[in-house]
Every structure is written in C-alpha cells, then in structure tokens.
C-alpha cells in the first residue's frame, strides 16, 4: 500500500541500504579469499532513478518514437528493479589478488548502518504524521 511517494521512495532506499549491507558483509566475509574483488552498489544513482520514476521527471535517456500503433515498445529493463552492482576499484590488490580493505569495509558498513537507521526513523515519523491526521479527522 502506497501512503505517499516519499514513503515509497524511503522504502526503496531501505531496500538499497539492505542490499548494500549484504554486499559489504560479503566483502568482509571474503577478506581472506584469493582473487576476491570487493563489490558495492551505486546507491545514489539507483535512488535517483527511483526518484525520477516516482516523481515522473523526464528521463535523460532518448526514447524511441512510435509513429504507428503497431510499433513495439521494445524491451525496457526496469532499472529501478535492481541497483547496479560494481566492483569497487581504487584499492590495491594484495599479493593474493584480493581487493578487500577491511578498514574501508568497516567504515562503509558503519556509514550504511547510520543511514539505514535514519531511514527507519524517517519512515516511523512519516507514519506517525499520517496516524495523527487520521486520529484528528476522526474527532471532527
């Protein structure tokens, strides 16, 4: 059930934060795995795509023109359905080819946890606002 678009966007942000937490946990779990490359998601890009979809902002992507009713729309992949996962480069690989830096991973995990908790608090506050409106309207 969609309360409002902001609620939906925050819920999607929670999903992306949970996915990022899983990826960071996987990176930490594989700190001693030879040739393992650390992975992450482009959280801000995925959230911007979801925001554009929810608030119907025009996409920067050039759309195909359909000049006839029988033209197919083509297969458009729903980018908001999944966030882009990439290999986090920039860290030098150790002698075993592993690119996981435990200091970076624990720092990113702490930042992600803080943002996740902030989103949970915002969702609770958003729900409390709607609950108070419903309670106030019942008294009228």
């Amino acid at each position: 059930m969609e309360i409002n678009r902001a609620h939906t966007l925050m819920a999607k942000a929670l999903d992306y934060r949970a996915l990022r937490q899983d990826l960071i946990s996987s990176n930490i779990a594989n700190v001693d795995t030879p040739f393992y490359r650390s992975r992450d998601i482009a959280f801000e890009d995925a959230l911007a795509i979801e925001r554009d979809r929810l608030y119907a902002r025009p996409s920067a992507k050039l759309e195909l023109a359909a000049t006839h009713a029988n033209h197919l729309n083509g297969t458009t992949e729903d980018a908001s359905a999944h966030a882009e996962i990439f290999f986090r480069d920039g860290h030098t690989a150790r002698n075993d080819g592993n690119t996981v830096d435990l200091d970076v991973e624990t720092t990113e995990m702490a930042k992600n946890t803080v943002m996740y908790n902030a989103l949970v608090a915002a969702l609770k506050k958003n729900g409390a606002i709607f609950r108070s409106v419903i309670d106030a309207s019942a008294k009228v």
Side-chain angles (χ1 to χ4, degrees):
M1 181 175 96
E2 181 176 316
I3 296 175
N4 61 16
R5 288 183 283 189
H7 185 273
T8 303
L9 185 61
M10 285 189 284
K12 198 67 177 177
L14 269 181
D15 291 343
Y16 292 144
R17 288 284 173 196
L19 174 62
R20 186 157 196 251
Q21 194 79 1
D22 289 344
L23 288 174
I24 293 169
S25 297
S26 176
N27 291 342
I28 291 173
N30 287 294
V31 69
D32 291 328
T33 303
F35 302 107
Y36 183 84
R37 296 172 61 192
S38 60
R39 298 177 298 157
D40 204 346
I41 64 167
F43 176 80
E44 289 81 10
D45 294 340
L47 199 59
I49 290 170
E50 186 66 23
R51 179 201 60 208
D52 292 345
R53 187 185 68 78
L54 284 172
Y55 290 98
R57 290 187 179 181
S59 173
K61 186 177 176 182
L62 182 61
E63 300 292 332
L64 291 175
T67 57
H68 191 270
N70 291 337
H71 285 170
L72 298 175
N73 292 335
T75 55
T76 56
E77 185 175 326
D78 187 11
S80 64
H82 48 81
E84 179 183 348
I85 297 175
F86 63 92
F87 292 110
R88 191 183 317 143
D89 291 329
H91 302 290
T92 55
R94 298 185 314 233
N95 288 341
D96 62 356
N98 188 311
T99 62
V100 176
D101 184 345
L102 197 54
D103 292 336
V104 170
E105 300 300 332
T106 54
T107 302
E108 291 298 323
M109 180 176 270
K111 288 187 333 189
N112 197 53
T113 301
V114 168
M115 294 304 293
Y116 187 89
N117 290 335
L119 281 168
V120 169
L123 275 170
K124 285 181 180 177
K125 191 71 164 176
N126 193 18
I129 290 171
F130 278 98
R131 196 172 308 111
S132 70
V133 168
I134 290 171
D135 290 344
S137 65
K139 295 176 183 174
V140 175

